[in-house]
């Protein structure tokens, strides 16, 4: 009980000091009208008109909405934090207890900026009606925010394992080096409340001040998450071209060889169409690796169709037409090479002799050897083409 009176006195003392530091609405309104009256928003807030206004700026990126590679457009969400010293807006905060206040009206000077590489055309940023905060030392902070569509030409040469570099350019509109000095607050793009995007990963940012213009370049390096495209585009393409090789294992009597080969060719052509819709119609700096791979697969598949047709012609040629000397030599060389690789020498010497081959070789034998040689050749070509693609996108 003896401390009760002390506690009450302490509470009253705190209340007295808080009351003494409070500012009434009437006092604040009078202060506001007094300090903002007579301001010319067209004049830079410097006491010496020949001096520069140092404008400090940083960009806070909150979300990457979309990157359209076909149109070359990057959509961002974020805001700029722009601050400068207004030499005509300073006061002694100890006299009235007011340390800072906010403005929502365009009644004091603020710099005019534009997005230098805006996709939607030139848009002036001084028309933004977001809150400005003014401190007693004259520091004015302005935080305009918006959705920004900027031009970013995509380099899809390694699609879908590509990395894109995009920049947001902001520069004063109508001011020269002698009037405004734009200074980056940080040498990177701020990401305090950044939300990750499911298609692109932000791996690196930087801020560069322009040399010939009073502008800032906010650069962002984006890396695509490739797994979706690997599962839905690249692996089906590889599967199509691999099963295309098995056309030579179909019996020629089935009558399905040509239909099978044409079906695979059309399937690869469909994937070529799908990939071309997602890529820009440009060859700079070079054509996409996936487009080259698909074109090569289409050529291989078309070549396979021609080989199958030619092979069936050999299979169904009547025996009354003698096998030419060239085809006999082709069959003999093919058999000998295969037996040197796969068979024992004894079997090779016992089974093959030139005279026996000349008597036994028929058009069906020519078709079989033709299938084997062409199947091995196409398999090697497919392996080389896809190995070159992997090396290109990896290295």
């Amino acid at each position: 009980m003896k401390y009760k009176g002390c506690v009450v006195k302490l509470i009253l003392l705190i209340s007295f000091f808080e009351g003494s530091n409070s500012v009434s609405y009437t006092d604040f309104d009078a202060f506001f009208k007094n300090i903002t009256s007579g301001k010319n928003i067209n004049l830079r807030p410097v006491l010496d008109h020949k001096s520069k206004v140092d404008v400090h700026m940083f960009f806070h990126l909150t979300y990457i909405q979309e990157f359209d590679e076909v149109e070359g457009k990057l959509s961002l969400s974020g805001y700029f934090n722009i601050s400068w010293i207004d030499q005509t807006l300073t006061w002694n905060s100890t006299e009235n207890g007011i340390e800072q206040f906010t403005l929502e009206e365009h009644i004091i000077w603020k710099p005019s900026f534009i997005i230098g590489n805006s996709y939607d055309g030139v848009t002036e940023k001084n028309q933004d009606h977001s809150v400005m905060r003014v401190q007693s030392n004259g520091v004015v902070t302005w935080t305009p925010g918006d959705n920004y569509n900027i031009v970013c030409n995509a380099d899809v040469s390694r699609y879908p394992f590509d990395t894109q570099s995009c920049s947001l350019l902001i520069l004063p509109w109508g001011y020269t080096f002698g009037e405004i000095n734009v200074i980056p607050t940080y040498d990177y793009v701020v990401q305090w409340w950044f939300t990750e995007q499911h298609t692109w990963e932000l791996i690196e940012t930087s801020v560069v001040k322009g040399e010939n213009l009073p502008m800032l370049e906010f650069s962002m390096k984006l890396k695509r998450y490739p797994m979706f495209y690997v599962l839905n585009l690249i692996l089906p393409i590889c599967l199509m071209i691999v099963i295309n090789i098995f056309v030579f294992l179909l019996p020629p009597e089935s009558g399905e060889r040509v239909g099978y080969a044409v079906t695979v060719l059309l399937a690869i052509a469909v994937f070529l169409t799908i990939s071309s819709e997602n890529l820009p119609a440009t060859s700079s700096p070079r054509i996409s690796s996936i487009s080259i791979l698909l074109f090569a697969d289409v050529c291989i598949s078309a070549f396979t169709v021609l080989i199958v047709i030619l092979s069936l012609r050999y299979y169904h040629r009547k025996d009354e037409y003698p096998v030419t000397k060239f085809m006999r030599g082709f069959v003999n060389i093919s058999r000998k090479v295969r037996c040197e690789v796969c068979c024992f020498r004894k079997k090779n010497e016992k089974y093959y002799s030139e005279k026996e081959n000349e008597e036994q070789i028929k058009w069906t034998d020519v078709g079989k050897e033709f299938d084997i040689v062409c199947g091995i050749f196409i398999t090697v070509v497919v392996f080389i083409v896809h190995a070159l693609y992997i090396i290109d996108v990896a290295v």
Side-chain angles (χ1 to χ4, degrees):
M1 293 295 292
K2 64 180 179 178
Y3 296 106
K4 185 176 182 180
C6 296
V7 174
V8 173
K9 291 179 181 180
L10 181 60
I11 294 174
L12 292 175
L13 184 61
I14 294 173
S15 301
F16 172 77
F17 281 110
E18 287 182 351
S20 62
N21 292 329
S22 63
V23 181
S24 65
Y25 177 84
T26 304
D27 294 339
F28 189 86
D29 182 60
F31 164 79
F32 183 84
K33 292 178 179 178
N34 178 59
I35 200 169
T36 58
S37 61
K39 300 296 180 184
N40 191 335
I41 62 174
N42 298 312
L43 298 180
R44 292 180 299 113
V46 289
L47 299 180
D48 183 5
H49 191 65
K50 294 183 178 181
S51 61
K52 298 181 181 180
V53 177
D54 291 334
V55 179
H56 297 263
M57 179 187 304
F58 69 84
F59 178 64
H60 184 281
L61 179 64
T62 57
Y63 186 63
I64 299 174
Q65 298 178 2
E66 180 188 10
F67 183 33
D68 193 333
E69 304 96 321
V70 178
E71 297 184 2
K73 179 178 69 174
L74 176 65
S75 301
L76 305 172
S77 295
Y79 68 88
F80 290 94
N81 185 291
I82 306 171
S83 61
W84 65 93
I85 295 179
D86 191 327
Q87 299 177 6
T88 66
L89 277 178
T90 58
W91 68 92
N92 189 354
S93 60
T94 59
E95 295 179 356
N96 50 25
I98 300 175
E99 296 183 356
Q100 58 184 351
F101 63 90
T102 57
L103 289 171
E104 292 187 359
E105 298 181 3
H106 194 187
I107 60 177
I108 65 171
W109 179 91
K110 61 180 177 181
S112 175
F113 289 94
I114 63 168
I115 304 299
N117 58 339
S118 175
Y119 189 86
D120 302 321
V122 178
T123 54
E124 198 172 351
K125 296 306 297 178
N126 72 331
Q127 302 299 327
D128 188 276
H129 294 284
S130 57
V131 173
M132 290 191 297
R133 183 170 295 275
V134 183
Q135 301 179 25
S136 60
N137 57 359
V139 176
V140 182
T141 304
W142 176 36
T143 55
D146 202 352
N147 296 325
Y148 304 98
N149 296 324
I150 60 175
V151 176
C152 182
N153 295 321
D155 178 9
V156 292
S157 56
R158 288 180 173 83
Y159 174 90
F161 304 95
D162 52 333
T163 301
Q164 305 296 337
S165 297
C166 301
S167 298
L168 188 152
L169 304 178
I170 185 166
L171 65 156
W173 184 247
Y175 296 100
T176 63
F177 269 118
E179 296 172 333
I180 284 184
N181 182 29
V182 184
I183 303 172
T185 307
Y186 306 103
D187 59 354
Y188 56 88
V189 176
V190 175
Q191 306 168 46
W192 294 332
W193 301 293
F194 177 70
T195 302
E196 290 286 343
Q197 218 255 6
H198 298 298
T199 306
W200 296 93
E201 177 187 5
L202 183 63
I203 59 176
E204 185 181 349
T205 63
S206 63
V207 180
V208 179
K209 184 178 179 180
E211 296 181 358
N212 300 323
L213 290 174
M215 72 172 185
L216 295 181
E217 180 180 356
F218 298 90
S219 301
M220 290 154 283
K221 196 171 184 180
L222 309 175
K223 183 179 181 181
R224 191 194 304 269
Y225 291 111
M227 190 53 62
F228 173 82
Y229 302 94
V230 170
L231 294 177
N232 292 275
L233 183 62
I234 296 179
L235 289 182
I237 292 171
C238 297
L239 181 61
M240 288 293 104
I241 197 63
V242 168
I243 65 175
N244 197 19
I245 302 173
F246 287 88
V247 68
F248 298 104
L249 299 180
L250 282 175
E253 297 81 8
S254 63
E256 299 292 335
R257 277 193 164 192
V258 177
Y260 179 90
V262 172
T263 301
V264 175
L265 172 62
L266 295 177
I268 297 176
V270 169
F271 281 106
L272 178 61
T273 304
I274 294 174
S275 66
S276 62
E277 292 177 353
N278 297 325
L279 298 175
T282 178
S283 57
S284 177
R286 68 179 180 87
I287 300 176
S288 172
S289 298
I290 191 69
S291 298
I292 298 175
L293 175 67
L294 283 169
F295 178 74
D297 287 345
V298 169
C299 293
I300 293 172
S301 186
F303 181 66
T304 303
V305 173
L306 295 177
I307 289 177
V308 167
I309 295 174
L310 187 60
S311 174
L312 289 176
R313 185 173 179 84
Y314 290 142
Y315 270 110
H316 293 88
R317 182 169 290 184
K318 296 180 180 180
D319 293 334
E320 61 187 38
Y321 297 100
V323 180
T324 62
K325 187 175 182 179
F326 174 79
M327 287 301 177
R328 289 179 184 273
F330 169 76
V331 173
N332 288 328
I333 293 174
S334 174
R335 288 176 174 177
K336 287 182 180 180
V337 171
R338 284 192 296 109
C339 282
E340 286 180 0
V341 176
C342 304
C343 305
F344 295 104
R345 291 185 177 181
K346 292 182 179 180
K347 292 183 178 180
N348 188 18
E349 295 174 356
K350 181 178 180 181
Y351 184 76
Y352 291 106
S353 65
E354 294 183 0
K355 293 183 178 180
E356 290 179 354
N357 286 340
E358 290 177 358
E359 296 175 357
Q360 295 178 0
I361 291 176
K362 300 179 180 180
W363 284 112
T364 54
D365 298 325
V366 175
K368 291 178 182 178
E369 294 300 325
F370 190 76
D371 283 346
I372 294 172
V373 172
C374 291
I376 296 174
F377 173 74
I378 291 178
T379 302
V380 173
V381 171
V382 168
F383 176 79
I384 293 174
V385 168
H386 287 74
L388 290 176
Y389 170 75
I390 294 173
I391 293 173
D392 181 54
V393 298
V395 178

